[in-house]
Amino acid sequence: MEKKLATEVEELQITYPNAEVQLWCEDEQTLEDSLTLRYRLGLKPILRRVYVPEGETPIADVNWRFKWLWLYAFVHPQTGETYWWILPYVNTELFNQVLADFAAEFGLGANKHILLAVDRAGWHTSKNLELPEGLHLTFLPSHSPELQPFS
């Protein structure tokens, strides 16, 4: 995989000889997955004592509700620089917005190109994906969680 990425970066540099070319990685995680359970976001009931007559089974209503949040995270492996968004869902529409903002934040265009390594999630491979100028995707091999930077 390293050789493939190095080759793709070199090819981009040849295609755009006057531009700066960088390699970045991106992945999404639910905040519940990326944090320990004690930092889970959501409403978690408080355990309390319930008094019932002896011999009866205590019944307590519990209202389990969790609202997941997703961390869209980018990392530049050479420098360790990061960029991230926290959003309520993962889908192509939100991923398009994140990519547009990422491109604007790092000044992508004719003079700067980024090769972004992503997995094969549906929103990364969608036909409705809108890549900003200067942003190029490369895909990790299928079924390779060891190559995902945030897993």
Side-chain angles (χ1 to χ4, degrees):
M1 185 69 196
E2 287 180 43
K3 288 181 182 181
K4 177 188 174 210
L5 290 174
T7 301
E8 289 187 45
V9 169
E10 288 173 15
E11 288 172 0
L12 273 178
Q13 193 65 72
I14 291 168
T15 305
Y16 304 100
N18 298 323
E20 176 186 359
V21 175
Q22 295 180 349
L23 172 67
W24 283 69
C25 301
E26 189 274 344
D27 201 7
E28 300 86 9
Q29 287 283 320
T30 62
L31 286 179
E32 190 272 331
D33 285 344
S34 60
L35 302 173
T36 60
L37 290 179
R38 62 191 173 118
Y39 293 110
R40 181 186 302 198
L41 300 176
L43 173 65
K44 196 166 187 177
I46 299 170
L47 296 177
R48 297 180 185 207
R49 295 179 188 260
V50 178
Y51 294 99
V52 295
E54 190 173 322
E56 288 188 23
T57 303
I59 298 173
D61 291 328
V62 177
N63 186 7
W64 289 98
R65 289 184 291 168
F66 291 99
K67 195 168 196 172
W68 306 122
L69 293 175
W70 289 83
L71 176 68
Y72 289 66
F74 297 75
V75 65
H76 185 247
Q78 285 186 313
T79 65
E81 184 175 7
T82 59
Y83 174 81
W84 49 271
W85 275 50
I86 296 176
L87 294 168
Y89 307 104
V90 286
N91 60 34
T92 303
E93 181 182 343
L94 287 177
F95 191 56
N96 283 337
Q97 291 175 13
V98 169
L99 291 179
D101 191 72
F102 176 76
E105 178 73 21
F106 292 96
L108 301 189
N111 296 321
K112 186 172 183 181
H113 291 259
I114 286 181
L115 179 64
L116 185 62
V118 296
D119 59 22
R120 295 177 185 269
W123 50 91
H124 297 160
T125 59
S126 170
K127 64 180 180 178
N128 297 322
L129 190 62
E130 300 166 3
L131 286 179
E133 181 184 4
L135 189 61
H136 311 269
L137 297 185
T138 186
F139 297 98
L140 296 174
S142 296
H143 310 293
S144 57
E146 71 280 359
L147 297 177
Q148 295 181 15
F150 305 111
S151 292

